[in-house]
Amino acid sequence: FTGPVLRNLFLEEHFGLTAIQRGTVETVSGIGFVLAVPFVGKRFDKLYRSDPSKALASLGLLLFPVAFLVPLQYFMPEVWMFVAVGIVVQLLSGSAFAMVGPIVQGIVPYRLRGLGTALLTIYIFFVGATGGGLLSAMLSNAYGPRPTVVVLTVPAMFIGSVLIMRGAKFIRNDLSLVVAELREEQAEAQRQIDDPDNIPVIQVNEIDFSYGHVQVLFDVGFEVHKG
């Protein structure tokens, strides 16, 4: 969120570009991503169907080089060099972020997808936009846009890529839980069709509860019927 603002400030202060020129730089920098994302998406879908863990880890691998490319971009002596590195940065980071949404939709139970998307949006806007904006404003006012970009981008991209690659090992279990819930609902729906007069008024399944580290309920399930 703060990257484009800081990038415009840097282009104006360092290279003396006008608003039209800065807009042209931004447009050219995004062309690579626009042209490549359909092919990246197709490749990602194919990999996701064969190995979801490897697909998610690949997003971390896309973000990892950005931590080193952004500082390189901001020390380029010419505008065309700045744009050339920026095209690669936009391609890598844009492709990775474009694939995150479908993954979140896949691992959140379908009944909670609205809530899952809302939580993701809150995190992005409050942590990324609001928190990042305030932090970048303070740093930019004190040190300028170039140091601010480097200080914020390098750790964010490096830590983020590592977390995504580490988290990739959990995605199969997340997906299996979603599938198990769907199968359970299908089985219950079929049971109600087969025996409509014997539908429970209350049904509870797989309840676990702990007081701190002491678990007191283990996979509790029960049904209450009419009467």
Side-chain angles (χ1 to χ4, degrees), residues 106-113 173-189 205-206:
I107 62 174
V108 175
Y110 75 95
R111 292 182 183 274
L112 299 175
R113 281 180 182 168
N173 183 64
D174 294 336
L175 291 169
S176 68
L177 292 173
V178 174
V179 172
E181 183 177 352
L182 287 171
R183 287 179 172 173
E184 183 180 316
E185 289 195 11
Q186 288 178 340
E188 178 60 26
N205 288 316
E206 301 176 4

Side-chain angles (χ1 to χ4, degrees), residues 17-134:
L17 300 188
T18 64
I20 291 294
Q21 290 172 328
R22 296 197 304 272
T24 303
V25 167
E26 290 293 315
T27 301
V28 173
S29 299
I31 286 177
F33 165 67
V34 172
L35 295 177
V37 73
F39 301 98
V40 174
K42 185 176 181 180
R43 169 64 180 166
F44 181 82
D45 285 347
K46 184 178 180 181
L47 183 60
Y48 187 79
R49 287 194 296 269
S50 62
D51 190 339
S53 298
K54 188 178 292 185
L56 182 55
S58 70
L59 302 188
L61 292 174
L62 286 176
L63 292 176
F64 192 80
V66 177
F68 304 96
L69 287 173
V70 168
L72 178 65
Q73 179 186 16
Y74 277 80
F75 282 94
M76 289 289 101
E78 301 290 340
V79 175
W80 69 267
M81 295 179 180
F82 183 93
V83 173
V85 179
I87 290 173
V88 181
V89 170
Q90 293 276 17
L91 174 61
L92 294 173
S93 58
S95 298
F97 287 125
M99 303 302 129
V100 169
I103 286 182
V104 173
Q105 294 295 326
I107 62 174
V108 175
Y110 75 95
R111 292 182 183 274
L112 299 175
R113 281 180 182 168
L115 178 61
T117 303
L119 290 174
L120 179 64
T121 304
I122 288 172
Y123 172 79
I124 290 172
F125 279 96
F126 276 93
V127 177
T130 307
L134 293 172

